[in-house]
Every structure is written in structure tokens, then in C-alpha cells.
Amino acid sequence: MLQYILKRILEMIPILFIVSILIFFFTHLIPGDPARLVAGKDATLDEVNIIRAELGLDKPIWDQYITYMSNLFQGDLGTSLKTGLPVSEMFADRFMPSVYLTFMSMGWALVLGLLIGTLSAVFKNKWPDYLGMVTAVSGISMPGFWLGLILIQIFSVQLGWFPTGGAESWKSYILPSITLGAGIMSMLARFTRSSLLETLRADFIRTGRAKGLKESVVIPKHALRNSLIPVVTIAGLQFGFLLGGSVVVETVFSFPGMGRLLIDSIAFRDYPVIQAELLLFSIEFILVNLIVDIMYSMLNPKIRYVS
Amino acid sequence: MRRVNVWKMLFVAFVSAILLAGCSSEESGGTSEKENSGKSASGKDQELVIAVNENFISMDPHNTGDTNSNSVQTAMLEGLLGSDEEGQIIPQLAEEYSVSDDALEYTFKLRQGVTFHDGEPFNAEAVKTSFERIMKDESLRLNSRGFNLITSIDVIDEYQIKVTLKEPYAGMLTRFVSAKILSPKLINDSSSDIGKTPVGTGPFKFVEWVQGDHLTVERFDDYWNKADRVKKITYKPVPENGSRVAMLKTGEAHVIYPAPVQNLKELESNSDVEIHKIPSTIARYVSINTMKEPYDDVRIRQAINYAVNKEAFISVVNSGYGLPLDSIIPSKTQFYSKQEAYDHNIDKAKELMKEAGFEKGFKAEIWGNTNSDTLKGMQFIQQQLKEIGITVEIKSMEEGTLSDEIYGAQTPEEAKVQMWYVSWSAYPSDTTNATKPLFSSSSFPPDGANTAYYKNDDVDKWITEVNQTPDPDKQAEIYNNIQSTIYKDAPWIFLGVDEILAGSRSNVDGVFISPTGGINVTDANLK
């Protein structure tokens, strides 16, 4: 297993190399001239040209690419065209809040999603199932933007329990994480339910029950564990997306995360920030995929990886 | 039976846990409004929170042009000159100033007894260090305009300094307002920190900036202009309108800017909140490409202006907040002179269309960005021009793409733009910036924002002349000619001037918003 993990990590290097090339050229393909956007509407052509030269945008694209890659190999993510600050410094303030928010949203979405899904499957077509599925459908149907504003209205404006935004204390994370986690929780609940129902119909469960195993053993130990593979896949994918930035929720709650930074940077054609952020998201996705694969084999010992 | 009981118990336990969590958070978090509303303790020991709609870009005053960054910088940094509530120029770190007759020499007598936040003394050498930074550092691209005309900076004595230009520039005084004076120690020893931790002479000093979350400043107790003011100010970027309003209602924010129009009624009915309406220098217009057929005929452009109901524009697009644009510059701009506005007169518009040979109308195209307000504005124009037979097609483009389309044309012949729905904002004291980039024939894209490709030899001559005239009376006369001539030539659909809307808690005192949207907190206090 260790060898397999090492191999996967080594495989990341060429993948990231290709990804970085694609990111660089696609970023430069976005229409819009950063020099013009930096200079403002009233700038003269001379002023725009001075800025273009200073930002290095007047050089051939290959030269720019070589500079970008050589800086990248030295661990330099570049300097923002908009703020003039090193990109790594801009990330430093925003990365951890995004990570905390992701873990918190994912944490409660997983716990509640699994619980509701399991209860719904066990009590199929009874009131806990109906209640669970109504909750799940509501969670999926509510747009994050709307849910966020409703939560602010109820819990911040009316009740005054939580702040309306920011990321200053643990309280600031509650409402955004509920908003962000609602959809994922619902999805996980539905997947858990259908997957568990299928497993409960399997021969080995019938055998277990026939042998006199208690339900409290059959369900968590045998059925649930075997139903988790699709759930883990979905959870992994969602986790990657969440880390990649959830722009809507970050906007509603004025949350200082990576998603908003990306959108601001795209609007301003801030190439170094866009490139660095996309590269970071690619690394995150690759790592999450690796973790998901490892979890498969932990859940089902029949899945073995050979290097 | 037994199986069901286990799960039922689990379910009950789960519901109880949620309810308990809800109750406990009520106990711990229920006091947030009282804590934040700032009513309990005396104002000067308190923290003021200001929520604005965008992130701050940089704290380097010599390298930023956005309103929000400038607002925060103004709390910490000062220039030789400042601006008052109306946006007009007043002395700040200079007690007096004079301009020579040829408009080339600016002499400043500096305020004495001023210190920077790091303890450095403020004097003529400090001013020289800041000005030389703007002139020489090539990376300071935005504020070098005007400063690249400086030929020499002479220190006359410790508190007098003279700046000489190579050619007259009417906007120079405004440049002295925006050229904030930084501590010479910061410039010489750690210039890379200027954008992150600026050091100036202002009423508040820098404390902390967490990118994307907040920026905090603290009262500077050795400030030269002693007065009671709040101890701390925290600025927060809150882009979502609803969230900003919620913050004002809960008392988490004491001032919000801008206040969203759609929430005004709700906020006005709240006794803890005050709404401020400030006439701005933001002009809303549609530039018409005067070099393209049929817009090259002044009768067509005038007909379009007669066809558009400006009052209806303000009530439909700006929700009733704003004033008609009755000159080429807003009324808060220096040297403004009111023109006879094009009234809403469909008959006259049709008559002009007929005279120009377009009785049956024609097809037109209007460009704008993807902002929902812009879209609403363009739809309004589309509906209004339909009345005189002009069928307008709306082309909505993302800002960067639009900028490429507009400024990509190297000559007027290459330009594809017919009509552009846009706005312009200049400092109230800088009439040059409110006219030259928009109406001088030297400012055709890509060399400026004259997207109407407007060319009038008289206007070109006047724009050059006014820039070289130091006498304000003479300037007023020339600007009067410029305004009346261009307004009659109608290179724009003159729409409206925005009213800036801001909200504050009723216990806030001494905070004002300037016509450019800058927030001044010099005398900020909580009652």
C-alpha cells in the first residue's frame, strides 16, 4: 500500500506539469487586457504600454511561460497584478479559513447525511424515511444563495446568535457551513439510503440474519460498511469542489476564502493569482482522489492496489 | 419490535441533541446586537465598523485608484492638500499654498508640529521624499500622472517647498490631494511594506489587514488636529447587498456604503438607522459614435436625446435616486454650468429624424457590461428609442471582453462601437479629467475614453487653453463654452447623475461620504 501511495504521488509530477501548461495558456487566452484594466478607463495608450512592459506582458508568450515556470520551480507563485503583493501572501490569509469551512461543512454533512440515509433505509416507507427524504429533497432544492440569506435573516438579524459574515471566530463558520453543507448532506443521505437498501437485499445479509446476528450488528458492521463505496466517491468529489471555493456562499457571508479571490482575480485578469489558484485546486483534487482510493480498500478489503 | 426501539431511541436522541445545541447557542450568542450596537459605553473608547462593497486593493496611496482603498488610506494618510465634504480642495498638511501666474510653480507652506505614526517629523524633506518616490519609481503607474511633469522639487526651508512643472496642468492641485505623504523612514528602509502597512500622519494608524476579511486602524493620539474620535475603526468588504444591510440592522456595522436601493424603504423605517443621499460626480450616459452613419448627423443624436425621458430613466433604472445630467459634467464638478436639457419630446425627435432622412428609423446596437443595472439601463434605452423607430439590439459583454472591444480599435475607422452604455467619475476638483479624456480628439481609443469619437476643433483648442490658464475666472469662462458646445453637439445620450446612498446607525457622528464615494472618518465618533 505504501508503495502504491508513493507511486501515485510521483505520478502527480507529470500530471501537474501538463496541468500547469494548460492553465498558463488558457489563462492568457481569456479576452481582456490586464494592462488596460490596471490603468483604468482614462489612461492613455502610452500609460497602458508602460504598464504592459512593467508587468512583462509585452514579451512573447513563450518568454512569459518560461519565466512563469522557472519562478514556479523556485517556489515563487508570482506577484499579483492587481495588488502588487506576492500571491503566496494573498493565499496565506485565505487558505486556512477555506479549509476550516470545508472540513466543518463536510463534517456535519457526512454525519447527518449518513444518519438520515441509514434511518431512511432501515425504516423504509415509514415516517422516519419520509421525514428524512423530505429533508434531503429540501436540502438539495434550496439554492445556497437563498438559504444563506434566510439563515442570516433568522439567526443573525432576528435572533442575533451568529455574526452575518467574516471569519473571526468559530461562530462565523456556523451559518456558512450549514449553507454549504446542506446540499451535500442531502446528496449523501440519498446515496446512503439507496446503496444501503441494495446491500440489505444481498445474500450475505440474509445469511447473517438467518444465523441470528443482531440488527445492531448487521446494519452498521455488515450492511453500512459495504454500502459506503459510492458514498465515499461522492463525498470525495464534493470535498474537492468545496476546497476549490464556494463563491456563492463566500459572497453571501463575506467570507475571506479562496473562491471569492478567484472570481475577483478573473474579473481583473490577474494572471498570476488565477494560475496559482487553479494549480492549487488541481493538487487538491489529485490528493482527494488518492485519499478516496485508499479509503476504498479500507472499506472493502477485496479492493487491493498493487504497485 | 426490539430493532425498531433501538433506532427510535437513536432518532429521539439526535433530535434532542439538535434542540439542546440550539438552546445553548442562544445563551452564548444572544447578546451580539447589544455588544455591537455601541450604545452602552462612551463613543471615544469604541470601535466603529464600516462595511463596504468591495475588497481593498492596496494600501500604497501612490499606486491605487479605487475608491474603497482610497477611503481607508484617507483615515491613515494625508496629503499637502485635502478635500472637504463637497469634494473641493482645502489645505491639509500645507497651511497655505500659491500658484505662479504661468501655472508652473506651486509653493507650499507646511504645517508645523506634525509627526508621522512612527515618530518621524513631518517637514519639507519628508514631502520631497514622497514626491520623488512617485516621480522616480516606475512601478507606481497610476499616480505618476501629473507628477511626470515635475522638473524640480526645491526645499526652501524646513517648512516650505516649491514644485516646478515643465508645462501647465490644471489637474495638478487634485494630484497633490491624492499624493499622500508617507513616512520617509518607511520609503527609505522598507518600501516593500508600503502596500501592506502604510505609515502617515493621519488621525488613525494602521493596525492589521487580513486580506478579504478586514482592515483595522487605531486612533493616533499624537495627531496634530486634536479632537474626540473613536478608538478603532474596522473596515470590512461585504460584497453582498443583503449581508451589508443585515450587518447594519444587527449593529455589526455602523456604516454601510453603498446602501442598496432595494432595501432603502425597509432601512428608512428602522429608527436605529439613518440613510444619507449624496449627489455624486458619477455621470451616466451612452456615448454615440459620431463618426459612424447615421450618428454622424447631429440631428440624429439630438433626436435620440429628445426621445429618451430622463426623469423616467431615473425612476425606472435608478429607482428614483439621481438627477438628470444637464451638462457634460455633474453639478458637483468644479466649473459646472447648467445647460438647457433635452426635454422628452417625441414629436421633435421624429421631426429631426425626418429632417435627417430617417423617418422610418434604423437598426442600432448598444453595448454594455453584464451588470444587471447596466442591462436594465440598456433595455430602457431600447424601449425609449423604439418610439421613434430605432430598433436597438443589446450586446452585453463581460467587462474585460468589452474593454478589448472598445480599446482594441486602433483608429476611428476600425471602431465597431455604435453606442456604449457607461459611466464616468472624476474628482469634483478635477474638471480636466472630467472633460479631456472624454471629448478631446487626442483621446480617441486606445489613447483615451473618447468613445463617441467626438471631434470639434474649437473644443480641442479650448481644452488645451484651459489647461494652461491659472486664472479660475478665465477657466470658468472657457469651461462654459466647452459645456454648451458639446451639449448641443450631443455626442452622448445625457442620462443622469447618481445619488450615492449610504446607511449608518443613528449613533454615528462625524462620518461623511464625499461626492466620489470616499468615506471620511477624521472626526468619527459614536454618540
Side-chain angles (χ1 to χ4, degrees):
Chain A
M1 179 60 109
L2 193 67
Q3 250 182 329
Y4 169 77
I5 295 171
L6 275 175
K7 191 184 159 228
R8 284 283 297 267
I9 290 173
L10 283 177
E11 271 173 12
M12 278 172 70
I13 295 167
I15 294 174
L16 282 176
F17 181 71
I18 295 166
V19 166
S20 68
I21 296 177
L22 291 177
I23 288 173
F24 181 86
F25 287 100
F26 280 124
T27 306
H28 282 71
L29 274 180
I30 313 172
D33 176 5
R36 171 63 67 180
L37 294 171
V38 167
K41 282 191 286 196
D42 55 343
T44 63
L45 185 59
D46 284 347
E47 286 168 337
V48 176
N49 284 338
I50 291 170
I51 292 166
R52 188 171 292 121
E54 193 201 306
L55 299 177
L57 298 168
D58 58 335
K59 293 184 189 133
I61 188 108
W62 287 107
D63 279 4
Q64 291 183 47
Y65 174 71
I66 290 165
T67 315
Y68 162 70
M69 283 312 274
S70 61
N71 287 342
L72 204 59
F73 278 117
Q74 292 165 41
D76 178 6
L77 295 174
T79 308
S80 160
L81 306 183
K82 186 179 174 186
T83 63
L85 297 173
V87 175
S88 49
E89 234 171 78
M90 291 174 74
F91 281 9
D93 285 335
R94 292 163 180 265
F95 187 64
M96 286 326 283
S98 274
V99 171
Y100 293 144
L101 182 63
T102 304
F103 273 94
M104 203 156 162
S105 314
M106 214 53 214
W108 80 258
L110 264 175
V111 171
L112 281 187
L114 285 178
L115 194 66
I116 292 175
T118 312
L119 286 173
S120 293
V122 172
F123 295 100
K124 192 188 164 197
N125 294 337
K126 296 202 176 88
W127 68 267
D129 182 23
Y130 298 137
L131 183 69
M133 285 307 105
V134 165
T135 315
V137 170
S138 316
I140 285 183
S141 330
M142 279 188 287
F145 195 78
W146 180 81
L147 178 63
L149 286 174
I150 291 289
L151 290 176
I152 289 179
Q153 184 61 30
I154 297 172
F155 293 101
S156 304
V157 178
Q158 305 287 346
L159 299 170
W161 292 356
F162 303 109
T164 51
E168 276 164 20
S169 71
W170 63 270
K171 275 190 191 170
S172 318
Y173 287 82
I174 304 279
L175 299 184
S177 75
I178 292 176
T179 312
L180 210 51
I184 301 165
M185 177 214 63
S186 312
M187 213 183 292
L188 290 177
R190 290 181 65 90
F191 269 91
T192 310
R193 180 182 181 271
S194 56
S195 180
L196 189 58
L197 280 177
E198 207 167 297
T199 318
L200 284 172
R201 277 188 233 115
D203 291 344
F204 71 94
I205 296 288
R206 203 171 44 238
T207 312
R209 280 178 178 158
K211 279 176 148 185
L213 279 179
K214 289 178 186 168
E215 278 303 287
S216 54
V217 175
V218 168
I219 293 193
K221 206 170 173 189
H222 297 279
L224 193 57
R225 187 177 169 142
N226 280 290
S227 317
L228 281 181
I229 297 271
V231 177
V232 166
T233 312
I234 295 294
L237 270 177
Q238 292 300 325
F239 191 84
F241 281 120
L242 283 191
L243 265 178
S246 11
V247 181
V248 170
V249 172
E250 287 182 12
T251 306
V252 174
F253 291 96
S254 25
F255 191 84
M258 302 293 281
R260 245 172 78 199
L261 180 64
L262 181 62
I263 293 300
D264 288 351
S265 311
I266 291 174
F268 206 79
R269 306 295 187 266
D270 199 342
Y271 293 157
V273 181
I274 303 172
Q275 285 160 192
E277 206 162 333
L278 292 181
L279 196 61
L280 186 71
F281 294 163
S282 311
I283 296 173
E284 282 169 8
F285 260 96
I286 296 172
L287 284 178
V288 168
N289 263 325
L290 176 62
I291 294 167
V292 166
D293 285 349
I294 294 167
M295 283 181 74
Y296 283 166
S297 77
M298 283 165 71
L299 287 167
N300 187 350
K302 274 197 232 161
I303 300 175
R304 282 269 169 262
Y305 298 111
V306 278
S307 57
Chain B
M1 266 317 272
R2 206 171 146 230
R3 187 184 80 191
V4 174
N5 283 339
V6 170
W7 288 106
K8 249 186 187 165
M9 274 171 67
L10 264 177
F11 187 75
V12 169
F14 163 64
V15 172
S16 317
I18 288 182
L19 288 175
L20 276 173
C23 295
S24 64
S25 49
E26 182 179 21
E27 283 157 23
S28 57
T31 53
S32 69
E33 179 163 358
K34 283 169 215 143
E35 279 164 14
N36 288 321
S37 63
K39 278 180 181 166
S40 49
S42 78
K44 63 177 183 174
D45 297 326
Q46 296 234 338
E47 180 179 357
L48 187 82
V49 178
I50 298 175
V52 293
N53 62 337
E54 275 171 21
N55 279 331
F56 317 111
I57 295 177
S58 165
M59 285 303 116
D60 185 343
H62 304 157
N63 199 14
T64 33
D66 70 298
T67 312
N68 283 326
S69 302
N70 284 342
S71 281
V72 185
Q73 289 163 12
T74 311
M76 299 180 277
L77 315 167
E78 293 174 304
L80 291 184
L81 306 174
S83 53
D84 64 9
E85 273 188 58
E86 295 291 309
Q88 296 307 325
I89 292 171
I90 50 167
Q92 198 168 50
L93 285 175
E95 278 179 324
E96 293 168 22
Y97 66 93
S98 60
V99 188
S100 66
D101 290 343
D102 57 4
L104 291 176
E105 286 178 8
Y106 293 76
T107 310
F108 298 93
K109 191 176 166 213
L110 306 182
R111 193 174 292 283
Q112 299 189 21
V114 177
T115 49
F116 286 97
H117 302 154
D118 58 3
E120 290 286 302
F122 167 76
N123 51 30
E125 279 300 333
V127 176
K128 194 176 176 189
T129 311
S130 273
F131 284 2
E132 281 182 345
R133 172 175 187 250
I134 304 174
M135 286 162 61
K136 290 177 184 165
D137 190 336
E138 284 184 0
S139 66
L140 306 176
R141 45 234 186 197
L142 293 176
N143 267 45
S144 59
R145 212 174 290 157
F147 276 78
N148 52 15
L149 298 175
I150 294 178
T151 52
S152 68
I153 302 170
D154 302 305
V155 173
I156 300 169
D157 60 38
E158 197 178 356
Y159 293 105
Q160 276 199 85
I161 194 160
K162 189 173 82 183
V163 177
T164 312
L165 305 186
K166 67 177 172 204
E167 59 183 74
Y169 175 54
M172 201 61 208
L173 283 178
T174 308
R175 292 288 150 195
F176 287 124
V177 175
S178 50
K180 309 287 184 213
I181 311 297
L182 294 164
S183 160
K185 194 174 160 199
L186 178 73
I187 294 177
N188 295 329
D189 300 351
S190 42
S191 62
S192 59
D193 290 340
I194 295 172
K196 294 173 272 178
T197 56
V199 179
T201 59
F204 294 91
K205 58 183 177 185
F206 178 84
V207 177
E208 179 191 42
W209 180 15
V210 179
Q211 288 270 342
D213 191 47
H214 69 272
L215 192 152
T216 308
V217 296
E218 192 180 53
R219 186 173 61 215
F220 176 49
D221 287 324
D222 291 329
Y223 183 54
W224 56 271
N225 193 2
K226 302 272 181 226
D228 271 352
R229 46 183 69 89
V230 283
K231 191 167 187 209
K232 243 174 150 185
I233 300 178
T234 298
Y235 293 87
K236 290 188 173 190
V238 181
E240 167 46 34
N241 284 341
S243 311
R244 245 180 1 263
V245 169
M247 285 179 80
L248 186 65
K249 289 203 283 192
T250 59
E252 271 177 78
H254 297 94
V255 178
I256 61 165
Y257 170 76
V261 167
Q262 63 271 27
N263 298 84
L264 276 196
K265 281 211 171 70
E266 167 196 2
L267 288 175
E268 275 170 338
S269 64
N270 186 330
S271 59
D272 291 332
V273 167
E274 280 173 16
I275 293 295
H276 312 272
K277 296 168 196 161
I278 306 111
S280 75
T281 51
I282 304 164
R284 299 234 167 246
Y285 62 93
V286 175
S287 68
I288 309 170
N289 189 337
T290 57
M291 289 200 178
K292 268 205 182 314
E293 274 189 351
Y295 314 101
D296 54 351
D297 190 329
V298 67
R299 291 169 296 188
I300 293 289
R301 302 195 300 266
Q302 287 173 339
I304 291 175
N305 265 290
Y306 281 118
V308 175
N309 185 343
K310 279 78 174 174
E311 299 291 343
F313 169 80
I314 291 162
S315 57
V316 172
V317 183
N318 274 13
S319 305
Y321 297 96
L323 303 160
L325 180 58
D326 50 12
S327 176
I328 60 166
I329 51 176
S331 64
K332 288 285 166 187
T333 313
Q334 201 183 8
F335 304 120
Y336 156 85
S337 81
K338 188 175 162 71
Q339 306 298 313
E340 196 186 327
Y342 295 92
D343 52 346
H344 183 225
N345 190 335
I346 295 289
D347 292 338
K348 199 163 182 178
K350 282 184 175 165
E351 202 179 297
L352 284 164
M353 290 281 282
K354 193 176 170 186
E355 271 179 40
F358 284 92
E359 195 179 357
K360 289 186 178 161
F362 54 87
K363 281 190 177 169
E365 200 174 85
I366 190 167
W367 293 1
N369 64 23
T370 47
N371 184 305
S372 56
D373 286 341
T374 305
L375 203 61
K376 211 195 309 180
M378 290 196 288
Q379 284 163 347
F380 177 80
I381 301 288
Q382 184 183 45
Q383 181 268 327
Q384 296 274 296
L385 295 190
K386 204 174 164 194
E387 299 281 310
I388 57 166
I390 302 175
T391 313
V392 179
E393 189 193 337
I394 293 172
K395 266 199 171 176
S396 203
M397 284 176 264
E398 187 274 334
E399 196 71 65
T401 315
L402 183 63
S403 165
D404 259 8
E405 288 289 321
I406 300 274
Y407 295 101
Q410 300 300 309
T411 60
E413 293 74 34
E414 276 181 35
K416 288 188 210 130
V417 63
Q418 293 178 19
M419 289 196 271
W420 183 20
Y421 183 94
V422 69
S423 65
W424 187 269
S425 170
Y427 286 105
S429 55
D430 192 355
T431 321
T432 309
N433 188 250
T435 49
K436 194 180 173 195
L438 299 164
F439 301 110
S440 163
S441 64
S442 64
S443 304
F444 290 165
D447 222 356
N450 183 355
T451 49
Y453 291 95
Y454 175 75
K455 183 170 168 43
N456 180 315
D457 293 338
D458 286 336
V459 170
D460 279 344
K461 191 185 78 190
W462 288 328
I463 285 177
T464 312
E465 199 181 319
V466 79
N467 217 15
Q468 294 170 345
T469 312
D471 176 14
D473 293 337
K474 182 79 182 139
Q475 285 181 332
E477 193 189 319
I478 303 172
Y479 273 124
N480 197 15
N481 290 337
I482 292 176
Q483 290 173 74
S484 63
T485 307
I486 301 177
Y487 206 79
K488 276 187 208 117
D489 279 347
W492 290 359
I493 309 178
F494 299 98
L495 294 172
V497 179
D498 284 6
E499 263 183 317
I500 293 175
L501 300 167
S504 69
R505 300 287 294 182
S506 45
N507 60 335
V508 173
D509 195 27
V511 177
F512 70 81
I513 317 278
S514 77
T516 53
I519 304 167
N520 190 305
V521 292
T522 305
D523 298 318
N525 224 326
L526 288 167
K527 287 184 262 187

